[in-house]
Amino acid sequence: SESLGSIASMSMLALLLIYALLAIPLQSYMQPLVIMSVIPFGAVGAILGHFFLGRDLVFFSLLGIIALAGVVVNSSLVLVDNINRQRQAGEPMKSAVSHAGSVRFRPIVLTSITSFVGLTPIMMDKTSSTHLFVPMAISLAFGVLVGTLITLFLVPSLYMVLDDLLQRRAGKTASPAALSPANDAN
């Protein structure tokens, strides 16, 4: 009970730090939220992985889910950064999102698959010396897979929704720079 309480408070601190580390270089308050939107789906993937492998969720599973939060944002960050670069180069919104998705698809998928494959020996190990690490490996492996699938669809969609909201808030009809970091810094 004491450990779970500590994990809950430290998890909130970790999420706040992830947000700050994303907000500073992106110079945006909203884009980190788009990037971090994948974290809950990664946790769902971790839970599904435990169910799929017939393993119970234990304390070490939660530690894996917390570590997963830092891992799943990477793919989203790469995608959003690529979209931002395309937009800064003057690319229209739909074209920038489409192009970034097609350019970053292979690296995102390959990184996730190699992470999953790299964790497979730990997940399948039956020795007593590694039994504490198996739940963490399951959380990370399946969370990365589900988080990646969601990243490829949810992040571009949320990016476009955010652009629409910022354009409406600014009263603009169609500005290619509506999602630039300067416009959502308020």
Side-chain angles (χ1 to χ4, degrees), residues 24-75:
I24 292 168
L26 291 173
Q27 298 177 347
S28 170
Y29 293 123
M30 299 301 289
Q31 286 184 4
L33 297 176
V34 170
I35 292 168
M36 293 174 67
S37 68
V38 180
I39 293 172
F41 295 101
V44 168
I47 294 167
L48 290 175
H50 281 79
F51 176 76
F52 178 70
L53 295 178
R55 302 288 299 232
D56 292 332
L57 278 170
V58 294
F59 181 76
F60 288 97
S61 303
L62 296 177
L63 294 179
I65 291 172
I66 293 168
L68 176 67
V71 174
V72 295
V73 298
N74 294 338
S75 297

Side-chain angles (χ1 to χ4, degrees), residues 26 28 31 34-35 37-38 74-105 108 150-164 166-167 175-181:
L26 291 173
S28 170
Q31 286 184 4
V34 170
I35 292 168
S37 68
V38 180
N74 294 338
S75 297
S76 298
L77 176 60
V78 166
L79 194 57
V80 167
D81 182 59
N82 198 293
I83 295 170
N84 285 342
R85 289 174 194 245
Q86 304 261 343
R87 297 279 289 153
Q88 289 171 352
E91 192 86 22
M93 171 59 75
K94 288 182 183 178
S95 176
V97 169
S98 175
H99 187 259
S102 64
V103 167
R104 301 310 308 167
F105 177 81
I108 289 171
I150 296 298
T151 295
L152 295 172
F153 297 103
L154 180 69
V155 170
S157 300
L158 287 178
Y159 191 98
M160 292 180 74
V161 167
L162 179 60
D163 181 59
D164 286 345
L166 291 174
Q167 283 183 16
S175 168
L179 195 57
S180 71

Side-chain angles (χ1 to χ4, degrees), residues 4 15 22 46 52 63 75 79-80 100 106 108 113 122 131 135 144 149 165 177 182:
L4 289 177
L15 290 174
L22 293 171
F52 178 70
L63 294 179
S75 297
L79 194 57
V80 167
R106 186 181 311 161
I108 289 171
I113 291 172
I122 299 170
H131 78 278
V144 164
L149 290 174
L165 291 174

